[in-house]
Amino acid sequence: MKKGILLLTLVMAIFMVGCGKTDVKNSNEPQTMESEKDSDTETRDWDDYMTSVKEKSDRIKISLEDDELTQAEMNIKSQELYELWDGALNDMWSELKRSLSQEEFSKMQDEQHAWIAEKEKSVGEAGKEVEGGSMYSLIVNMEAAKITEERVYELYELLK
């Protein structure tokens, strides 16, 4: 039990330290040679951010597949995986809100609401077969993480 708590604390500490959002410059600046350089830096910053998130995700997935974990530990790790991708989604969403025009952002909000409804439907369906069981959290979290990861990559393409 103490080993599990220590492991969870360590994983959470690593997660919290590594999830800081990279500062990104305003993309609405006039396009000068200096701004083009800033734009390149902005893309690299998001590239670095995505690389970091992907590496953390891969570590969690590998642990879920390879480590001898209790069901409770798998449930916790799957929640960490979902929270990792959800945090990345929120970071990208914040940047899009800042960088898009009000009209473009309004359109994105409509799209995002539809995406959320579809995600919730898919997650609910994924958990139906094991509802009430010990695997429910694992199944639901993994589905939510998968769908959210896909959405993060869609938003990432918009930020490039």
Side-chain angles (χ1 to χ4, degrees), residues 86-149:
D86 192 53
L89 179 81
N90 290 329
D91 287 345
M92 291 189 175
W93 188 250
S94 294
E95 177 59 21
L96 288 168
K97 182 178 182 181
R98 189 187 66 72
S99 63
L100 294 175
S101 71
Q102 194 170 19
E103 183 179 317
E104 290 171 318
F105 186 71
S106 179
K107 183 179 174 185
M108 285 291 301
Q109 279 182 307
D110 293 341
E111 184 182 310
Q112 188 71 3
H113 290 295
W115 176 83
I116 290 168
E118 186 61 33
K119 178 187 87 166
E120 289 174 357
K121 179 181 173 189
S122 295
V123 168
E125 288 177 15
K128 278 185 179 176
E129 289 186 32
V130 293
E131 195 165 3
S134 62
M135 288 183 60
Y136 178 79
S137 293
L138 174 66
I139 300 299
V140 166
N141 289 335
M142 293 303 289
E143 182 69 11
K146 180 185 83 152
I147 294 169
T148 305
E149 178 180 359

Side-chain angles (χ1 to χ4, degrees), residues 5-22:
I5 292 171
L6 180 60
L7 177 63
L8 176 61
T9 304
L10 179 60
V11 169
M12 288 177 64
I14 292 169
F15 174 75
M16 290 170 54
V17 168
C19 276
K21 180 177 176 256
T22 307

Side-chain angles (χ1 to χ4, degrees), residues 43-104:
T43 300
R44 274 195 305 273
D45 288 346
W46 280 109
D47 290 345
D48 292 345
Y49 177 81
M50 285 301 295
T51 298
S52 174
V53 171
K54 178 76 169 113
E55 287 171 354
K56 290 172 190 168
S57 173
D58 289 346
R59 283 193 299 269
I60 294 170
K61 289 176 183 177
I62 289 168
S63 176
L64 281 164
E65 291 175 14
D66 295 346
D67 294 349
E68 291 186 30
L69 303 170
T70 65
Q71 186 62 54
E73 290 168 330
M74 287 189 287
N75 293 346
I76 290 168
K77 282 195 176 283
S78 66
Q79 179 68 33
E80 291 170 6
L81 182 64
Y82 170 62
E83 289 174 356
L84 173 68
W85 286 111
D86 192 53
L89 179 81
N90 290 329
D91 287 345
M92 291 189 175
W93 188 250
S94 294
E95 177 59 21
L96 288 168
K97 182 178 182 181
R98 189 187 66 72
S99 63
L100 294 175
S101 71
Q102 194 170 19
E103 183 179 317
E104 290 171 318

